[in-house]
Amino acid sequence: MQLHLAVIRVQTLAIAAHQWGWSCEQIVQQYGITEAQIDDALGFYTAHRTEIDEAIATEQAIETAGV
C-alpha cells in the first residue's frame, strides 16, 4: 500500500490555475493530487476569494521587498 500525503495551500493552487494558467491536468501532474481535490480547493478559493487574494498579494509584496 502506498500512502501519499500532500499539503498544498489553496492559494498555491489558485495561483497555478489563475495566474500561471495551468490546466487541471498540469496541476495533477505537478502536485500529485486528484482533480476532485483541485475542484474542492478552487471552490474554497471562490468562496473566500477576497481573503485569499489579500494573502497572495501580501506574500508577493514580501517576496518583492526581499524581506
Side-chain angles (χ1 to χ4, degrees):
M1 179 171 122
Q2 182 181 15
L3 181 61
H4 184 256
L5 299 176
V7 177
I8 302 165
R9 298 184 307 166
V10 169
Q11 65 191 62
T12 300
L13 298 177
I15 290 169
H18 298 292
Q19 290 184 13
W20 301 339
W22 285 10
S23 69
C24 190
E25 182 59 32
Q26 287 173 302
I27 296 170
V28 166
Q29 290 176 5
Q30 181 67 30
Y31 294 107
I33 59 177
T34 66
E35 288 186 27
Q37 290 170 313
I38 295 166
D39 289 342
D40 287 346
L42 294 180
F44 183 86
Y45 170 71
T46 298
H48 301 277
R49 187 176 193 130
T50 301
E51 304 98 302
I52 295 170
D53 283 349
E54 288 174 3
I56 291 169
T58 299
E59 287 189 18
Q60 289 174 339
I62 291 169
E63 288 175 9
T64 300
V67 175

